[in-house]
Amino acid sequence: LYSSSLDGSIKLWDFMDGILIKTFTVGSKLLALYTPASFEDSVFVVVPKSGERDTFQLVSVKLTKAAGQDLEAKELSVILDSVNASPKCIAFGREGEYVASVNEVNLQVYFFKRKQLNRFSLSAAKTKSGNNHFMCIACHPTEDCIATGHADGKIRLWRNFHHKKEYTFSTLHWHHDAVMDLAFSVQGTSLLSGGVESVIVLWRNESEHQRDFLPRLGSAIEYISVSPDGTLCCTLHTDNRITIINSNLRFSRSIQGLIKSTNVKTGLVVDPRTKALVLNGEPGHLQFYCLQSDQQLFSLDIVQRQYIHQAGLNQTDLVKVAFSAQGEWLATVEEREEVTDPELQLKLWFYDEETQSFKLNTRISMPHEDHITDMCFRYMDEVEDESLILVTTGSDCVFKVWAMVEDTDPEGKYAQQSVSWSCDFVGSYHNYQATNCCFSEDGSLLAVSFEETVTVWDSLTWDLKCTFCYSPGKIRNICFGRLTCSKYLIGATDHGFLCCWNLLSCALEWSAYLNVVVLQPDPLSEHIAAISWLSKDSSLFVFKPNEPRPIYIQRNFCKEKIQLAAFVPREEPETVGSAKYLWLRRSQLFFLTATQELITLSTKSLEERLTPSSKQLAVEESLPVTPFSLLLGKHRRHQSQEDIDLGKRVVCNKPEQDSPAVKELLHTPAHVLPSASFLCPVFINSLLISKENTSAEEVADAVEMESEETEDDSDEERDVTEMEQEDTSPMELLGEITCKLSKSQEKELRKLRKMDYSWISAF
Amino acid sequence: MGEFEVHRVRFFGLVPAGVRCLACQPRGPRLALARTDGAVEVYNFAVNYFQEKVIPGHDSRSVEALCWAAGDRLFGAGLNGEVTEYDLARLCAARSIDGCGGPIWSMAANSNGTQLAIGCEDGSVKLFQVVPGGIEFERNLDRRKGRILCLSWHPSDTHIAAGSIDTLRVLDVSSGQTVQRIMVNYHTQKAKRECIVWSIAFLSSGTIVTSDSFGRVQFWDREQETLLESHTVSTSAVLSLAVSEEEDSIIVGTSTGATYQFQLLPVKAGSLQKRWVRTKPFQHHTHDVRAVAHSSTALISGGLDAQLVIRPLMEKMQKKGYDAVLRKFTFPHRRLVSCARKARLLLFQFSQHLELWRLGSTDETGKDGEVLPLCRMPEHLVQLKSKGPEHIYCSSVSPCGSWVAYSTASRFHLYRVQYEGNGVSVKKVPKMPKLLLPAYQLQFSSDSSSLFVASARGSVHVLQLLEPGGCKHQHRLRPPSGSPEAVYLLASSADGHWVAAVSGDWAIHIYNLKCFKHHCSVPTYNCAVTAVAIHPVTNNLVIAYSDQQLFEFSIPKKQYTAWSRTVQSCGLHRMWLERDSPITHITFNPKNPSHILLHDIYMFCVLDKSLPLPDNSALLMNQGTLKQLPETARKRQLHAFKICKKFQPLLFADLLDENCLVMVERPIIDIKTQLPLPIQQKKFGT
């Protein structure tokens, strides 16, 4: 099992044990790695061409058999010039006889035996049916046939490419948009293709008329791969999901974490009932994502319209979500982007205890004339349901208060529906656009920001109490303090000021110069987290409103812009040693970055997390699971050392950290699992061994490995997240890179899973 | 270029007949084509696909199959149940023999062209022996129920594969028995519809290729009677199929207008295992592709939309050039329009009638590019219907407009047209002299006093026209050495001294009309002549050849002119030589003797002999750029070719007087509306 990384090294792993065997240093950035089975001692990598930007070459690297951990691979030979950096654009042909690469409108085929390079190019002219640029390539496993996918949705099957002139191709056309990936079945009798349409197409016998479809896969297909035994294929989707499909094109199962939606407009909201993170999921859906189990609890269809899988269409999507305090009411806003007038709908959902799901209660079309900017419920713990109030602010310069009313017409058509929502009050301030709204903790006060001004309203009489203004700059965020600090109102402005007003004295308490992008109060404590964005990286500040000094600062923890943050209450308060992390006692902070990676802050060090408690393990699920797999791997090595011949396993790539193997173990029914008494000593043993024998080394090794793995993953996904994980700081940031498996990784999933089963049975 | 007042004529309602069948001459350069109206055309690949010969159709003689036999003899068979041999020298049907099996659907010649097999309505396959001077019935092969729609000989001539409805049969030629009978539909359950085997090919390996009405192309093993491969290429019928001579490539045509190529390709490099793979799809037609042919370098398809498409195989091309260009022929390579300059009349030739139109006129003037309002609309004066089943060979109207002549295969008609106010009276000239018929070209002298009739054996008849409405055979001009081929182009001089005649062997003979003697012949050039004309002032003969070369031959001096020699030594512009349609008409501007006006389907050109010839680095079509240049720079950029592509497709262009042109266009879209609706196909996104 080889892996390559952007820092220019190829690593050889034993993927069963999860240990690093060798490291080869190449020197330049490695963007893609290929290990065709017929080349025993060399691998192929895509590297940028020295001296030129955006040109890449395919290079074969001879891996020496010399002993030692760190080796330098010097024997490089350039095979193809000007290739595409995407791993989909190079494929190795039948038994490694040739390699084919596509870039823009050129196809290059290099024959290893004859050392001959053939180039074919299509006309670059954009025809009326779109452009014919190459998107992806696949080679027939047994015949000399290359399939290429094009941006106009065509698939071309090239044959006879041994001859420079007498080559020929045939065309298959079903996709209306670009073909994202192609895969041949193991025997080569059928070809699978997928694209934006989220339909997998099975072409039989390369015939235009014999094709089968598996539609409604949820979202656009990015990668397709077929298992080596041909029984399964899996697809990776843009929304961060893997679908496993039987060979008879029947949906088998899907592996899904957090759904990556194109644009998280709703923000991170915590469902008070399930403590799940709620955000945009599939288009028009709301996903409830359980952080503890890294699973989607359910997906609520808000828009209730057919989503058309086509690029460039304006389709209705969900923009705002708010929960009432107990979570029995859910308010959603959906809108369709139109240049002239947006289509808006406000929907209110009631949680139905019987069906355990939300039921649509009221639908209000065009609640505002323009975009809705913010929405919140009044927090009220004591008062009854009837006084529940929802406030929406819009770009049409007003905020509206919506209240529940009893249905006055019990005889009417909707007799069974006793309550509905209607507009109660419309407020405005100097014809400024309302941008944010926020209720104080006891619900008595409502703060609404109008561009540069914050207004505070009495929520009973809807009188304007007072206004605060701290120019310059428009108000970006506002929030009230909690508990002991409830007399404070915090606001962040565009021009980089964080202000705190005292509501009793109606005066500015303090202000700080800080470019705050996210302001998030902890619902269970008085702490407020502010995330600032300074040119290149984000910093986290945690403070209490009553004192201008932050109690915790974590600078430059993320290179990307943090878009959203949320405090998720813990199930039970954690014991935190250091006073510095007291604010994390009762809830955990999660961030969502621009590339939709979910990051959390944790207080525990790695050693602590290795304690083998079952609860701990369950929690670990949401964190990288490699330590656990490491344990298992070690345990296996103790059991049967002679079985493993290290270094002989040459497999394309490494399993993803979120490997289903561990899940599989955890979800395996108890009767299949070995007895707890058997497992426990193993865990303890492994710990003991690591402590006794080579404790320092082993742990360091493990830690290093883990970091490398995370790094590696991120490299392969080309989302560079430099996670400093094993550093000296006891505070640890765990990058929970929501799994976006690359193609080769997927390939291994099946293999890995099978093997896991086998060794479980070996117990 | 000069400014002209242009009559843009779009009322010529010509609808070319659809292509019914195609036959490539084995080991020869010719392609025979039959149209749905029974016309047979011969194209010559060697001379830039020029339409060499046209045999007009006949109402009772439909052609369902064509084949070449015994070298260059062309046979056709049709639903009238007859096998017809065509006389390609005299351009008419020579002999017919009844097949005695009802309508004939298919015909195939064996590999050495000695035997013909025909497939008849009654299910019989009959063999004919090709003998000098005709064909002789040889024997009947095994007769089974069901019409034989297609036939193919095994290259060894021992077996014949015959396709019928739902079945295909293999017949042994020596015993005459059905050796194998394969149910085409056996493998599919949907036997409710009958499956018509539209086309069949028997490969030397014993593989039989069929195309059927279910849209399949199937490969059968003859020995095992098993299906080797089946490719569904279309949802509608696959109508035609042709195999290359090397048997490594197949072209099929479907009723949706698409054609597909199949290639026999090795599965792996270097291995012997080969497979038929559907490779390139082409969509050049809008309607049924009824006929396909596979030459050694090109895929040829003909459809009911009357188009003949020649798609060269790039991989077989050695170099880029004239042959490597896709070409489409819709219109004949000869003119169907004649113009009476003085009377401003146009005569349009249709397959079975003629139309005489008077051009509209205007009394306004305008700037370049303006459309002038008409004060008198164009007027349809007369429609002359030819009687009998024969189609018209040629027609002409005299420059004064008072004589109209046309000829069919067996008759020649001359009419006297008189204009009385608004009315028109047409009177047939009685007592026509006996001529050698048919006439292939008619040409009135410029003073309308005599008519030249191009005839078979290289001869030209001169008829004297007499007032009021009579004519007299004056002389018969013949080449001194004699010629078997018919004359297909004529040109007469304005002063009435000379007439030039081009016969089918591309020899140009010039006759003196004062003494009715052969004057000289132009040195033969190894290419087909597409147009000739005699200059009214200098009496130079301008000749356009199908390889786009231009020659000027001085008749009085009996030699090529100096300009012509310059053209030959300098060479013509590359773009000019790579044009893909032949010059169909040449005319002159009497006011400007250095100008030659030429046109083909896609362009109209004024050739100014006084200006220098362009070299290959210059832009050939430079009219647009010239307009933007200042006067002095324009002088330097000027060259001899002034090309206008505004009028397309251009069927005819002529000069009425020194600043008035007539252009006859036939927009393709107008033809499309005359055709039946194509098969409805769902188009994505509509």
Side-chain angles (χ1 to χ4, degrees):
Chain A
L1 178 68
Y2 288 100
S3 74
S4 70
S5 52
L6 275 181
D7 63 357
S9 61
I10 300 171
K11 293 188 169 72
L12 178 63
W13 305 82
D14 186 325
F15 75 93
M16 287 215 179
D17 299 358
I19 55 164
L20 179 67
I21 298 168
K22 273 179 190 174
T23 306
F24 302 94
T25 317
V26 177
S28 52
K29 281 186 181 179
L30 307 179
L31 293 155
L33 174 76
Y34 305 91
T35 57
S38 52
F39 296 92
E40 292 205 341
D41 53 350
S42 50
V43 295
F44 298 87
V45 289
V46 172
V47 296
K49 201 170 181 176
S50 53
E52 289 173 65
R53 283 189 65 222
D54 299 331
T55 51
F56 303 93
Q57 357 179 251
L58 180 70
V59 172
S60 116
V61 179
K62 191 123 180 158
L63 298 179
T64 46
K65 287 231 169 84
Q69 279 267 325
D70 290 324
L71 296 170
E72 201 150 323
K74 282 175 192 151
E75 285 182 63
L76 301 181
S77 56
V78 178
I79 293 177
L80 289 174
D81 251 342
S82 67
V83 299
N84 199 311
S86 162
K88 284 189 281 193
C89 291
I90 294 177
F92 285 83
R94 170 178 67 88
E95 290 144 23
E97 294 229 325
Y98 56 91
V99 59
S101 144
V102 289
N103 193 15
E104 291 181 347
V105 292
N106 299 307
L107 168 70
Q108 302 182 74
V109 184
Y110 179 79
F111 298 93
F112 290 107
K113 283 196 182 137
R114 287 186 283 150
K115 303 224 182 306
Q116 183 193 350
L117 177 69
N118 283 358
R119 271 173 223 269
F120 312 106
S121 58
L122 300 170
S123 64
K126 287 189 179 176
T127 52
K128 59 177 183 293
S129 56
N131 65 9
N132 52 8
H133 281 210
F134 285 100
M135 295 297 290
C136 51
I137 186 165
C139 289
H140 198 287
T142 54
E143 294 172 16
D144 283 340
C145 176
I146 298 176
T148 56
H150 296 259
D152 55 359
K154 283 180 180 156
I155 299 168
R156 286 188 169 87
L157 292 167
W158 300 75
R159 282 180 181 274
N160 223 15
F161 43 80
H162 303 279
H163 311 285
K164 271 210 151 53
K165 276 181 84 178
E166 290 180 17
Y167 70 91
T168 178
F169 61 81
S170 52
T171 312
L172 305 172
H173 197 177
W174 180 83
H175 295 276
H176 67 76
D177 216 326
V179 182
M180 294 306 292
D181 202 10
L182 291 167
F184 272 105
S185 67
V186 178
Q187 288 83 22
T189 49
S190 54
L191 174 69
L192 293 160
S193 67
V196 183
E197 303 87 356
S198 68
V199 179
I200 193 157
V201 187
L202 177 75
W203 306 87
R204 289 186 202 280
N205 303 325
E206 294 154 25
S207 160
E208 179 120 47
H209 294 272
Q210 292 177 32
R211 58 188 178 207
D212 288 308
F213 305 102
L214 179 64
R216 289 181 285 280
L217 288 176
S219 68
I221 296 167
E222 281 277 301
Y223 293 95
I224 302 172
S225 85
V226 178
S227 67
D229 58 356
T231 52
L232 294 162
C233 84
C234 65
T235 57
L236 176 76
H237 301 263
T238 46
D239 69 351
N240 177 29
R241 186 175 42 165
I242 301 164
T243 308
I244 297 168
I245 295 161
N246 280 336
S247 58
N248 55 358
L249 221 59
R250 196 78 51 76
F251 176 81
S252 167
R253 59 173 296 167
S254 75
I255 302 167
Q256 179 160 41
L258 188 64
I259 293 182
K260 183 181 175 183
S261 77
T262 49
N263 193 1
V264 180
K265 294 172 182 161
T266 56
L268 287 174
V269 182
V270 177
D271 178 17
R273 183 179 299 274
T274 57
K275 307 284 184 284
L277 214 50
V278 177
L279 66 161
N280 279 115
E282 290 169 54
H285 289 242
L286 200 60
Q287 64 169 328
F288 288 71
Y289 173 74
C290 179
L291 290 162
Q292 271 71 38
S293 60
D294 184 26
Q295 271 180 338
Q296 193 188 350
L297 290 182
F298 63 95
S299 176
L300 184 64
D301 188 358
I302 301 292
V303 173
Q304 294 175 335
R305 275 188 209 173
Q306 178 85 40
Y307 183 77
I308 303 159
H309 293 282
Q310 190 177 334
L313 281 185
N314 277 334
Q315 307 200 42
T316 315
D317 206 359
L318 199 58
V319 289
K320 289 280 178 276
V321 162
F323 280 97
S324 66
Q326 272 79 43
E328 63 270 88
W329 285 98
L330 164 70
T332 60
V333 176
E334 63 202 50
E335 78 176 34
R336 199 160 79 95
E337 285 287 344
E338 289 278 326
V339 185
T340 48
D341 51 334
E343 259 176 48
L344 288 173
Q345 264 190 351
L346 173 67
K347 282 178 181 168
L348 285 137
W349 307 74
F350 182 69
Y351 189 77
D352 193 341
E353 292 286 351
E354 283 172 25
T355 58
Q356 293 283 306
S357 68
F358 284 95
K359 252 174 77 178
L360 183 63
N361 178 279
T362 310
R363 178 204 301 258
I364 301 156
S365 57
M366 293 309 286
H368 283 262
E369 299 293 308
D370 210 341
H371 299 284
I372 288 184
T373 51
D374 202 3
M375 172 166 73
C376 64
F377 277 100
R378 179 157 69 167
Y379 289 102
M380 281 202 180
D381 291 340
E382 314 81 33
V383 277
E384 315 81 80
D385 261 353
E386 277 70 37
S387 62
L388 206 59
I389 281 170
L390 174 72
V391 174
T392 56
T393 57
S395 312
D396 56 348
C397 310
V398 293
F399 73 92
K400 290 187 181 179
V401 179
W402 307 85
M404 229 170 2
V405 288
E406 292 279 346
D407 209 332
T408 50
D409 182 18
E411 308 295 317
K413 208 171 164 186
Y414 307 102
Q416 73 278 11
Q417 187 181 323
S418 58
V419 285
S420 65
W421 291 75
S422 67
C423 187
D424 190 44
F425 176 75
V426 178
S428 68
Y429 180 78
H430 286 287
N431 219 12
Y432 287 138
Q433 287 190 356
T435 51
N436 288 290
C437 63
C438 181
F439 274 103
S440 67
E441 196 187 11
D442 57 356
S444 60
L445 288 176
L446 167 71
V448 181
S449 64
F450 288 94
E451 295 189 0
E452 295 169 5
T453 320
V454 182
T455 57
V456 179
W457 306 70
D458 188 329
S459 70
L460 286 173
T461 57
W462 302 116
D463 290 332
L464 180 63
K465 288 287 179 196
C466 59
T467 62
F468 300 105
C469 187
Y470 186 86
S471 328
K474 295 178 182 170
I475 303 289
R476 204 182 268 168
N477 286 303
I478 50 168
C479 68
F480 280 97
R482 304 254 163 234
L483 305 175
T484 57
C485 305
S486 55
K487 61 184 178 189
Y488 297 106
L489 175 68
I490 317 291
T493 66
D494 262 356
H495 286 252
F497 281 97
L498 185 67
C499 319
C500 177
W501 292 283
N502 190 328
L503 292 170
L504 299 177
S505 62
C506 291
L508 184 71
E509 189 86 1
W510 52 268
S511 76
Y513 186 71
L514 196 61
N515 184 22
V516 174
V517 285
V518 178
L519 195 64
Q520 186 66 36
D522 183 355
L524 298 178
S525 67
E526 56 269 84
H527 302 287
I528 291 176
I531 294 157
S532 74
W533 168 251
L534 271 168
S535 64
K536 272 274 148 61
D537 43 20
S538 303
S539 306
L540 169 71
F541 300 88
V542 181
F543 57 91
K544 283 186 179 181
N546 53 3
E547 47 190 314
R549 273 186 302 111
I551 55 167
Y552 174 75
I553 302 174
Q554 171 83 37
R555 288 203 185 272
N556 309 347
F557 70 95
C558 180
K559 280 251 180 348
E560 282 175 87
K561 195 164 180 169
I562 301 287
Q563 289 196 318
L564 300 159
F567 278 97
V568 178
R570 288 187 194 275
E571 282 174 24
E572 52 188 66
E574 247 178 69
T575 49
V576 177
S578 165
K580 210 172 169 188
Y581 308 112
L582 258 163
W583 58 278
L584 278 172
R585 249 190 68 196
R586 299 197 60 191
S587 44
Q588 222 174 344
L589 186 57
F590 286 87
F591 311 102
L592 197 70
T593 63
T595 50
Q596 298 199 18
E597 290 170 2
L598 196 61
I599 296 171
T600 184
L601 284 172
S602 156
T603 55
K604 286 172 296 171
S605 63
L606 194 75
E607 284 87 339
E608 275 178 273
R609 283 193 286 111
L610 288 175
T611 49
S613 84
S614 64
K615 183 167 278 173
Q616 185 70 29
L617 279 172
V619 177
E620 297 294 23
E621 274 278 332
S622 74
L623 305 169
V625 288
T626 22
F628 185 50
S629 57
L630 237 163
L631 274 179
L632 291 172
K634 272 184 206 155
H635 147 70
R636 194 190 171 218
R637 194 170 49 173
H638 292 308
Q639 276 206 325
S640 52
Q641 264 176 336
E642 65 278 3
D643 287 357
I644 308 156
D645 46 16
L646 296 170
K648 286 288 175 194
R649 295 217 68 91
V650 180
V651 195
C652 293
N653 222 318
K654 62 197 259 350
E656 171 66 18
Q657 52 169 341
D658 192 17
S659 73
V662 179
K663 262 189 205 162
E664 212 59 61
L665 180 68
L666 288 169
H667 299 163
T668 318
H671 62 274
V672 184
L673 272 179
S675 66
S677 56
F678 182 76
L679 274 176
C680 276
V682 167
F683 289 137
I684 293 159
N685 260 341
S686 59
L687 265 178
L688 284 174
I689 289 161
S690 69
K691 289 265 158 64
E692 280 169 10
N693 297 351
T694 53
S695 58
E697 281 170 38
E698 279 264 324
V699 171
D701 190 12
V703 168
E704 187 189 294
M705 219 183 95
E706 191 179 38
S707 73
E708 275 159 0
E709 274 183 300
T710 24
E711 254 176 51
D712 192 32
D713 292 333
S714 46
D715 288 346
E716 285 183 10
E717 293 156 22
R718 293 172 302 285
D719 302 331
V720 192
T721 49
E722 299 290 339
M723 287 291 148
E724 297 304 328
Q725 210 171 324
E726 81 281 18
D727 58 345
T728 47
S729 139
M731 180 64 220
E732 196 176 306
L733 274 173
L734 276 183
E736 157 122 25
I737 297 150
T738 54
C739 46
K740 210 170 80 169
L741 299 193
S742 74
K743 183 182 177 180
S744 43
Q745 287 169 335
E746 281 169 53
K747 266 186 205 158
E748 284 317 299
L749 274 178
R750 285 313 309 170
K751 200 179 265 179
L752 187 83
R753 181 173 285 190
K754 257 199 325 213
M755 284 174 186
D756 281 325
Y757 278 127
S758 67
W759 67 258
I760 286 170
S761 59
F763 279 126
Chain B
M1 183 163 179
E3 287 192 353
F4 295 105
E5 186 185 302
V6 177
H7 290 271
R8 190 173 195 172
V9 174
R10 290 188 158 190
F11 43 78
F12 181 25
L14 175 78
V15 180
V19 177
R20 180 61 194 86
C21 51
L22 291 169
C24 269
Q25 190 180 18
R27 296 168 291 278
R30 289 184 169 81
L31 170 78
L33 174 151
R35 293 192 182 265
T36 47
D37 63 353
V40 174
E41 295 164 8
V42 176
Y43 291 81
N44 193 337
F45 295 156
V47 291
N48 288 358
Y49 306 98
F50 182 61
Q51 187 189 39
E52 227 179 12
K53 296 171 178 12
V54 178
I55 303 170
H58 192 282
D59 271 356
S60 65
R61 199 178 65 217
S62 76
V63 182
E64 287 293 319
L66 278 177
C67 64
W68 295 88
D72 52 358
R73 290 169 69 179
L74 181 64
F75 293 90
L79 297 182
N80 58 355
E82 288 179 347
V83 182
T84 309
E85 182 173 359
Y86 293 96
D87 185 339
L88 293 178
R90 293 185 57 231
L91 302 184
C92 58
R95 286 164 289 269
S96 289
I97 181 164
D98 195 350
C100 302
I104 301 170
W105 291 95
S106 52
M107 179 168 65
N110 67 354
S111 57
N112 50 21
T114 54
Q115 278 180 315
L116 289 180
I118 59 167
C120 305
E121 173 77 20
D122 64 353
S124 62
V125 176
K126 293 165 198 280
L127 287 185
F128 286 83
Q129 191 83 34
V130 180
V131 293
I135 51 171
E136 276 175 6
F137 176 72
E138 194 178 333
R139 51 200 274 241
N140 267 323
L141 300 184
D142 187 22
R143 184 156 79 96
R144 297 279 172 93
K145 205 168 158 283
R147 59 174 67 142
I148 305 290
L149 285 163
C150 46
L151 282 173
S152 176
W153 288 77
H154 189 266
S156 68
D157 297 345
T158 52
H159 291 86
I160 293 175
S164 180
I165 292 159
D166 285 335
T167 57
L168 71 94
R169 288 194 284 153
V170 180
L171 299 145
D172 188 295
V173 177
S174 52
S175 70
Q177 294 304 308
T178 301
V179 187
Q180 258 117 17
R181 188 162 172 272
I182 298 171
M183 299 292 290
V184 178
N185 231 5
Y186 186 74
H187 299 272
T188 51
Q189 294 303 309
K190 46 173 182 181
K192 286 168 199 159
R193 282 191 300 145
E194 58 183 21
C195 178
I196 302 162
V197 179
W198 279 116
S199 192
I200 198 163
F202 208 153
L203 307 185
S204 51
S205 61
T207 306
I208 301 171
V209 192
T210 60
S211 70
D212 60 36
S213 58
F214 287 179
R216 297 174 303 192
V217 176
Q218 294 181 314
F219 296 82
W220 305 87
D221 187 284
R222 188 187 78 81
E223 303 283 331
Q224 314 286 333
E225 299 183 35
T226 49
L227 182 63
L228 296 174
E229 283 176 56
S230 177
H231 297 263
T232 306
V233 297
S234 171
T235 48
S236 52
V238 183
L239 296 173
S240 46
L241 182 154
V243 187
S244 71
E245 210 156 332
E246 297 87 46
E247 297 189 351
D248 60 353
S249 169
I250 292 177
I251 176 175
V252 297
T254 67
S255 58
T256 54
T259 54
Y260 298 91
Q261 192 190 2
F262 284 80
Q263 282 176 285
L264 188 63
L265 296 174
V267 168
K268 294 175 190 174
S271 83
L272 287 173
Q273 193 192 352
K274 290 190 171 185
R275 231 179 52 203
W276 287 98
V277 179
R278 181 180 70 80
T279 52
K280 296 171 200 124
F282 303 109
Q283 182 83 47
H284 297 303
H285 300 274
T286 54
H287 289 69
D288 291 14
V289 180
R290 291 294 294 270
V292 288
H294 201 308
S295 79
S296 58
T297 57
L299 306 176
I300 302 158
S301 57
L304 284 188
D305 54 358
Q307 281 194 98
L308 174 68
V309 177
I310 298 164
R311 154 85 208 192
L313 293 169
M314 287 307 177
E315 63 264 26
K316 299 277 168 61
M317 291 294 158
Q318 301 309 317
K319 59 181 196 316
K320 274 199 158 180
Y322 189 85
D323 289 336
V325 185
L326 169 78
R327 55 197 66 243
K328 295 182 177 184
F329 298 131
T330 309
F331 299 102
H333 287 163
R334 50 199 65 206
R335 63 189 168 93
L336 300 174
V337 182
S338 49
C339 171
R341 288 189 181 191
K342 291 175 194 141
R344 304 212 162 194
L345 300 175
L346 287 178
L347 182 73
F348 300 134
Q349 177 188 328
F350 295 85
S351 65
Q352 282 190 288
H353 68 271
L354 301 173
E355 282 182 9
L356 190 63
W357 287 73
R358 178 182 287 135
L359 288 172
S361 62
T362 183
D363 43 13
E364 292 187 37
T365 53
K367 282 202 286 289
D368 184 25
E370 274 182 23
V371 178
L372 302 176
L374 288 182
C375 67
R376 202 180 63 183
M377 295 304 285
E379 194 183 350
H380 184 187
L381 298 174
V382 179
Q383 183 175 23
L384 285 171
K385 276 197 177 140
S386 99
K387 293 186 183 68
E390 291 167 337
H391 292 186
I392 296 169
Y393 271 66
C394 58
S395 64
S396 187
V397 62
S398 69
C400 65
S402 52
W403 302 90
V404 169
Y406 76 90
S407 167
T408 64
S410 59
R411 284 189 295 177
F412 176 77
H413 301 271
L414 181 65
Y415 293 93
R416 172 88 179 152
V417 186
Q418 271 163 336
Y419 308 93
E420 295 139 356
N422 289 326
V424 179
S425 71
V426 178
K427 212 168 79 190
K428 195 176 168 187
V429 177
K431 284 185 273 174
M432 288 297 297
K434 279 262 180 255
L435 296 170
L436 189 60
L437 286 173
Y440 305 103
Q441 183 69 279
L442 298 166
Q443 174 83 38
F444 286 93
S445 66
S446 57
D447 57 356
S448 304
S449 65
S450 50
L451 170 65
F452 308 104
V453 181
S455 188
R457 298 191 169 279
S459 60
V460 177
H461 296 273
V462 184
L463 301 182
Q464 195 178 9
L465 304 173
L466 304 169
E467 293 290 338
C471 85
K472 194 178 87 185
H473 188 260
Q474 209 169 15
H475 206 272
R476 182 180 178 199
L477 304 167
R478 302 170 82 171
S481 55
S483 167
E485 299 273 342
V487 172
Y488 72 98
L489 283 175
L490 284 174
S492 67
S493 69
D495 57 8
H497 269 76
W498 314 102
V499 65
V502 186
S503 55
D505 51 3
W506 312 326
I508 306 171
H509 296 283
I510 297 158
Y511 303 97
N512 190 327
L513 290 174
K514 291 296 160 212
C515 51
F516 296 113
K517 263 197 184 149
H518 183 257
H519 176 69
C520 66
S521 46
V522 179
T524 43
Y525 180 73
N526 194 21
C527 206
V529 182
T530 65
V532 285
I534 297 172
H535 198 283
V537 180
T538 59
N539 275 345
N540 288 338
L541 180 71
V542 177
I543 311 154
Y545 287 99
S546 66
D547 60 353
Q548 312 296 357
Q549 292 291 348
L550 293 171
F551 285 90
E552 193 185 36
F553 183 81
S554 169
I555 295 175
K557 292 182 190 156
K558 301 190 187 178
Q559 61 179 14
Y560 287 120
T561 62
W563 181 80
S564 181
R565 288 170 204 277
T566 325
V567 168
Q568 287 313 303
S569 60
C570 297
L572 289 162
H573 194 276
R574 190 172 47 83
M575 293 287 285
W576 176 268
L577 294 177
E578 284 175 5
R579 286 179 313 114
D580 61 353
S581 69
I583 299 282
T584 49
H585 188 57
I586 300 172
T587 186
F588 302 96
N589 191 348
K591 285 279 168 330
N592 207 338
S594 69
H595 283 188
I596 306 171
L597 284 69
L598 327 132
H599 81 90
D600 64 8
I601 299 281
Y602 301 109
M603 62 104 212
F604 174 76
C605 173
V606 178
L607 184 57
D608 193 339
K609 288 196 289 179
S610 63
L611 288 171
L613 290 167
D615 58 358
N616 276 339
S617 59
L619 204 63
L620 183 67
M621 257 89 71
N622 62 351
Q623 292 299 308
T625 51
L626 277 184
K627 265 185 192 166
Q628 294 154 10
L629 289 175
E631 194 66 37
T632 49
R634 199 185 297 180
K635 282 259 166 59
R636 269 183 279 120
Q637 296 278 322
L638 281 179
H639 62 69
F641 291 91
K642 293 157 182 190
I643 292 171
C644 165
K645 290 202 161 189
K646 188 176 176 185
F647 309 99
Q648 281 186 358
L650 186 61
L651 294 189
F652 181 76
D654 204 357
L655 194 72
L656 294 175
D657 54 46
E658 62 260 35
N659 52 15
C660 185
L661 275 171
V662 59
M663 301 277 191
V664 180
E665 279 181 294
R666 180 64 179 151
I668 296 284
I669 192 81
D670 292 357
I671 297 178
K672 294 265 159 73
T673 57
Q674 303 277 314
L675 293 172
L677 282 175
I679 288 179
Q680 283 289 328
Q681 288 183 75
K682 188 185 163 359
K683 204 172 169 196
F684 180 79
T686 53

